[in-house]
Amino acid sequence: TETEDKGYHVKTIQADFGAIESQILCCVFLCSFSVLKLKQILFSWFPVLGWLPHYPIREYAVGDVMSGCSVGIMHLPQGMAYALLASLRPVFGLYTSFYPVLVYFIFGTSRHISVGTFAVISIMIGSVTERLAPDSDFIVNGTNGTGSVDIDERDAYRVQIACSLTVLTGIFQILLGVVRFGFVVTYLSEPLVRGYTTGSACHVCVSQLKYLFGVTPARFSGPLSLIYTLVDLCRLLPQTQVPELVVSLVALAVLIVVKELNTYYRKKLPLPIPIELIVVTATMITHFCGLPDKYDIDVVGEIPSGLKAPRVPDATLFSKVIGDAFAVAIVGYAINISLGKTFALKHGYKVDSNQELVALGLSNTVGGFFQCYSVTSSLSRSLVQESTGGKTQVAGLVSSIIVLITVLKIGSLFEDLPKAVLSTIVFVNLKGMFKQFMDVPMLWRTNKVDLLVWLVTFTSTILFNLDLGLAISIGFSMLTIIFRTQLPRYSILGNVPGTELYLDTNTYQEAKEIPGIKIFRSSTTLCYTNAEMYLEVLQEKSGIEIGKLLTAKRKQDAKQKRKQEKERKKDKEKTSGALANGKLSEETKGQENITVISLKETAVNGFSKGQVNRSYHPDTTMSDSDSDTGCHGNEENEEASGSHTQSIILDLSTTSFVDTVTVKTLKNIFRDFEEVDLSVYLVGCQEQLEKAGFFSESIPKSRLFITVHDAVLHILKKRGEADFGRKQHLDMAG
């Protein structure tokens, strides 16, 4: 019995060890899976971890530092000037140019945009701070509005309002990003955004006139407040302060002239002339001449040195600013993502719209605790950051360091800066927004519905202020979408054998795809709400990854160019050496003539590797050397293009109208696909495309067909001619 018990215990221990071993293996697998999943989550929420460890210092460092210095110099005057738009002291504009930039460096996905103060967002903040903290609430030592205003108390309360509004704006943006609601910006069409920013620029312009003329108009709120303010300014013109007007006109003239010179000589100048900073530093003249005391010029005032400790915003104000916070969140994100996607498309990388929401929301939320107001990207600073060699957000980090040095050490130098000078900086930077008035004649020629959206947005923004104007414009734009579009369904078409019918291959088993041809159709109109989705699904359904193809093509072209240059140098050295020694024989000359003739024949017939159009020559015979050279590139192209696709047919027969975004999307498709030797053809929608001015020398009308079958027959005919020509060439060579 004792022996049996021992055997039983041994078996029990062995069984326990087996169970423990399986559990350990299971835990190891789960841990490895969890680590991989955790790594993916970290990289998605903290994009800086994905690119900063692999930062190429030798290639990017110099450009990023130069770009950061240029943008940092722009941050200083713009930050102080735009703070006045928000009805805050200029130093808070400097804070706003520092903290949010650092946060976006960690969480942002765009490499080129410059986050910070922006005129439209600043005026939206200013409308809230002035509404909730008017001067009339801070009258001291008087009755019936005859006393003076306690400016310190008023400004402190306005800072609380701005910080509470900013934190709530950031919370809205973070929540929208977490629930993957980044697509909401697609419902803000380009005409709507441009009309809204143009109307906002008018509000900014009127709000700064009081500093230029040195007058103090009454404050109006509600609908038509802009009109009332403008009328009151005209009434106060006889009271204009001449010294401030002179300062404004001189600064305005200098800024306009130098900025035009920067634009005209932008290709010759290594860096744009920092005229804004030069004008700001000219405040030393006002200081040493004593202009503020002699002529009572309104100046910036005290700029405290150092950074302030974080402070929790007043949550009791959330209920008063909740509507304004949501409007600022949407407008700020729309401006940010539009600029981000523009630079991403230009430089060949992708911007995550949902992560951008989170990044912008965290920038606002964290900034709100450090007495900053809402931020978004600035077009002027982003263009400078990109044009001066900026490659990553390291440029933003450098710019924030420059702002930090200013706040800590040299901020007091700007205390005698006239507010009129800051106003002129705002005026000059509105030039790009006022140029958007040129959209009106362009939209009149191309798309009158988009023109109507632009005009309704602009008019409602002017008449009903920024918050109500935005709500009206979005509602009107949505109505146009409801009446014009529905949720699209995309499909790849195939031919039903023995007929001219082309049906969805997923729905009809009889429909078979034609080898080398992808026929893509949308069930509804292609417009600005689904243009981006249209391009993404086209690549997904056709199996064509245009980004990889473009990268592989450029690498292959560069490699081929280097090879040709090497061969050209070798031939030149051989020829020069033979001529120098006088030993160029008749036999060598004959061989050179044969070589020249063969090269000319090859170039004429288009059979060299660099000249062949793959869409028309799928079976081109290459020499051994050519095939070896392009082997890896061809494999990558075939893998990215999906099963040897050579032609794309876009069936637009369901499209009832064409807007400006549709035209741009189709032109981009033609440009990108043709660059990788994929031919694109259109079916239907001829009248709408002609009215929109779509066709040109690069996109002739010969690419448009009435039916899908006509386009397919044209492609097959072109292939037949190419094959026939190739056989003739081979027979002649034989």
Side-chain angles (χ1 to χ4, degrees):
T1 304
E2 186 176 351
T3 305
E4 291 177 357
D5 290 341
K6 290 181 179 179
Y8 170 76
H9 287 301
V10 170
K11 291 180 180 179
T12 303
I13 292 172
Q14 290 177 347
D16 290 341
F17 273 117
I20 292 172
E21 184 179 1
S22 62
Q23 290 178 2
I24 291 174
L25 292 175
C26 183
C27 289
V28 170
F29 174 76
L30 290 176
C31 288
S32 61
F33 177 78
S34 300
V35 170
L36 181 61
K37 189 69 174 178
L38 179 62
K39 186 177 180 181
Q40 293 177 351
I41 294 174
L42 284 176
F43 280 11
S44 63
W45 285 96
F46 300 91
V48 68
L49 299 177
W51 61 267
L52 188 59
H54 310 289
Y55 181 77
I57 297 178
R58 292 184 178 179
E59 299 177 11
Y60 288 176
V62 175
D64 281 340
V65 170
M66 292 180 62
S67 175
C69 293
S70 302
V71 174
I73 290 172
M74 292 183 67
H75 265 303
L76 300 178
Q78 287 188 6
M80 291 188 291
Y82 291 155
L84 296 179
L85 294 178
S87 298
L88 303 174
R89 292 184 176 180
V91 68
F92 295 102
L94 297 179
Y95 297 156
T96 307
S97 301
F98 174 63
Y99 290 107
V101 177
L102 295 179
V103 177
Y104 188 83
F105 168 78
I106 299 172
F107 297 98
T109 60
S110 176
R111 305 174 189 172
H112 296 90
I113 63 173
S114 174
V115 172
T117 55
F118 187 61
V120 175
I121 300 299
S122 299
I123 194 66
M124 294 179 75
I125 300 294
S127 65
V128 179
T129 56
E130 291 187 1
R131 186 183 75 238
L132 297 181
D135 292 345
S136 58
D137 291 352
F138 301 92
I139 301 295
V140 294
N141 299 329
T143 58
N144 298 325
T146 59
S148 60
V149 178
D150 189 346
I151 296 178
D152 293 336
E153 185 179 353
R154 181 203 64 183
D155 290 348
Y157 188 56
R158 286 182 176 180
V159 170
Q160 292 182 19
I161 296 171
C163 293
S164 299
L165 175 60
T166 299
V167 170
L168 190 56
T169 297
I171 292 173
F172 277 132
Q173 290 173 332
I174 293 172
L175 292 177
L176 291 175
V178 169
V179 299
R180 320 302 290 175
F181 208 64
F183 68 89
V184 69
V185 75
T186 59
Y187 292 96
L188 299 179
S189 67
E190 184 177 354
L192 188 150
V193 173
R194 293 173 71 87
Y196 183 78
T197 53
T198 306
S200 301
C202 294
H203 280 274
V204 173
C205 181
V206 172
S207 69
Q208 295 301 292
L209 289 175
K210 61 182 180 182
Y211 296 111
L212 264 66
F213 294 102
V215 296
T216 307
R219 184 192 173 277
F220 300 93
S221 60
L224 302 179
S225 61
L226 181 69
I227 307 299
Y228 295 146
T229 303
L230 196 57
V231 171
D232 196 36
L233 280 169
C234 294
R235 181 182 62 83
L236 294 173
L237 283 181
Q239 304 177 18
T240 299
Q241 299 290 329
V242 177
E244 293 198 19
L245 181 61
V246 171
V247 171
S248 302
L249 293 178
V250 171
L252 197 62
V254 172
L255 286 168
I256 292 175
V257 170
V258 177
K259 278 188 171 288
E260 289 298 322
L261 291 175
N262 280 339
T263 303
Y264 188 78
Y265 294 104
R266 63 182 181 274
K267 295 183 178 179
K268 297 181 179 180
L269 293 173
L271 293 174
I273 302 173
I275 185 58
E276 294 175 340
L277 185 64
I278 294 173
V279 169
V280 168
T281 54
T283 55
M284 291 185 293
I285 299 175
T286 62
H287 174 73
F288 289 109
C289 295
L291 296 181
D293 297 329
K294 288 182 180 179
Y295 301 104
D296 195 24
I297 294 178
D298 193 11
V299 296
V300 169
E302 182 184 2
I303 298 180
S305 300
L307 301 173
K308 294 189 176 182
R311 188 173 62 180
V312 178
D314 188 358
T316 60
L317 295 171
F318 285 174
S319 60
K320 300 179 182 179
V321 299
I322 184 170
D324 302 287
F326 188 77
V328 172
I330 296 300
V331 174
Y333 173 63
I335 296 171
N336 192 78
I337 196 65
S338 61
L339 276 178
K341 288 190 174 182
T342 299
F343 288 112
L345 182 63
K346 180 178 179 180
H347 293 276
Y349 62 93
K350 188 175 182 180
V351 171
D352 188 343
S353 58
N354 294 302
Q355 180 61 26
E356 282 296 297
L357 258 177
V358 175
L360 199 60
L362 288 171
S363 298
N364 284 323
T365 304
V366 175
F369 284 90
F370 289 92
Q371 301 187 17
C372 304
Y373 64 90
S374 296
V375 297
T376 188
S377 55
S378 166
L379 176 60
S380 60
R381 292 196 306 270
S382 299
L383 288 175
V384 169
Q385 181 167 320
E386 186 257 352
S387 63
T388 53
K391 302 294 184 182
T392 66
Q393 281 299 325
V394 171
L397 182 64
V398 174
S399 69
S400 63
I401 293 174
I402 292 178
V403 175
L404 177 63
I405 294 173
T406 303
V407 172
L408 295 178
K409 298 296 181 182
I410 61 176
S412 58
L413 297 178
F414 302 118
E415 291 181 354
D416 289 329
L417 172 64
K419 291 183 178 179
V421 173
L422 294 179
S423 297
T424 59
I425 293 174
V426 173
F427 269 106
V428 173
N429 283 305
L430 292 177
K431 174 187 174 184
M433 294 186 188
F434 285 126
K435 288 176 69 175
Q436 293 176 157
F437 279 111
M438 298 304 298
D439 291 350
V440 175
M442 185 271 293
L443 292 174
W444 173 261
R445 294 191 301 268
T446 56
N447 191 283
K448 291 182 174 57
V449 176
D450 281 350
L451 173 62
L452 190 60
V453 172
W454 197 100
L455 292 175
V456 169
T457 303
F458 175 77
T459 305
S460 60
T461 304
I462 292 292
L463 298 180
F464 301 103
N465 286 344
L466 300 174
D467 47 359
L468 189 57
L470 178 63
I472 293 173
S473 59
I474 292 177
F476 181 80
S477 180
M478 292 297 293
L479 284 176
T480 63
I481 296 302
I482 292 173
F483 286 112
R484 297 194 301 176
T485 63
Q486 57 184 357
L487 186 65
R489 185 172 63 87
Y490 302 100
S491 56
I492 295 293
L493 305 184
N495 178 250
V496 178
T499 69
E500 296 182 3
L501 297 176
Y502 292 84
L503 306 175
D504 187 357
T505 55
N506 292 331
T507 306
Y508 302 93
Q509 297 181 355
E510 296 83 3
K512 305 296 181 183
E513 289 188 42
I514 302 174
I517 301 176
K518 291 289 183 181
I519 307 171
F520 184 72
R521 182 175 67 185
S522 171
S523 62
T524 188
T525 296
L526 173 62
C527 62
Y528 72 86
T529 59
N530 54 28
E532 184 177 359
M533 185 187 302
Y534 184 90
L535 180 58
E536 291 177 356
V537 178
L538 170 62
Q539 297 183 63
E540 178 183 351
K541 290 271 187 183
S542 62
I544 299 173
E545 299 180 24
I546 192 64
K548 290 184 178 180
L549 285 173
L550 288 172
T551 303
K553 178 75 183 307
R554 289 164 184 165
K555 289 182 179 179
Q556 187 175 351
D557 290 345
K559 187 175 181 180
Q560 185 69 16
K561 186 177 180 181
R562 290 194 298 269
K563 180 181 177 182
Q564 291 176 354
E565 290 177 354
K566 289 181 180 179
E567 292 177 353
R568 193 182 299 113
K569 289 181 180 179
K570 290 181 180 179
D571 294 338
K572 188 176 180 180
E573 290 175 357
K574 291 180 180 179
T575 305
S576 60
L579 289 173
N581 296 325
K583 296 180 180 180
L584 187 63
S585 63
E586 293 297 326
E587 180 181 356
T588 304
K589 293 180 181 179
Q591 290 179 355
E592 288 180 357
N593 292 333
I594 293 172
T595 303
V596 171
I597 293 172
S598 64
L599 287 172
K600 288 182 178 179
E601 290 178 353
T602 303
V604 170
N605 291 286
F607 299 115
S608 66
K609 181 178 178 300
Q611 300 288 336
V612 175
N613 188 333
R614 301 297 178 195
S615 60
Y616 298 153
H617 298 75
D619 300 319
T620 301
T621 303
M622 297 186 300
S623 65
D624 293 338
S625 60
D626 287 341
S627 62
D628 291 340
T629 303
C631 178
H632 298 292
N634 290 336
E635 288 177 357
E636 292 177 3
N637 289 344
E638 290 172 3
E639 181 181 354
S641 62
S643 66
H644 308 284
T645 300
Q646 299 134 14
S647 301
I648 305 290
I649 299 176
L650 303 179
D651 184 5
L652 302 179
S653 57
T654 57
T655 300
S656 58
F657 65 91
V658 174
D659 60 14
T660 53
V661 179
T662 301
V663 173
K664 290 181 181 178
T665 301
L666 292 176
K667 286 184 177 180
N668 289 338
I669 291 174
F670 268 86
R671 180 197 62 199
D672 295 337
F673 281 69
E674 292 286 348
E675 189 174 346
V676 294
D677 297 332
L678 290 173
S679 301
V680 182
Y681 301 88
L682 302 179
V683 172
C685 202
Q686 177 177 356
E687 183 179 356
Q688 292 87 341
L689 290 174
E690 288 180 348
K691 286 184 178 179
F694 174 74
F695 298 102
S696 60
E697 294 181 0
S698 59
I699 308 177
K701 288 186 179 180
S702 59
R703 293 295 183 93
L704 179 67
F705 296 88
I706 299 176
T707 66
V708 174
H709 191 63
D710 292 337
V712 172
L713 291 179
H714 174 79
I715 295 172
L716 296 177
K717 182 180 178 182
K718 294 290 290 185
R719 288 185 186 176
E721 290 179 356
D723 292 338
F724 178 75
R726 188 182 302 109
K727 290 179 181 178
Q728 273 192 329
H729 174 77
L730 292 174
D731 292 340
M732 292 175 63

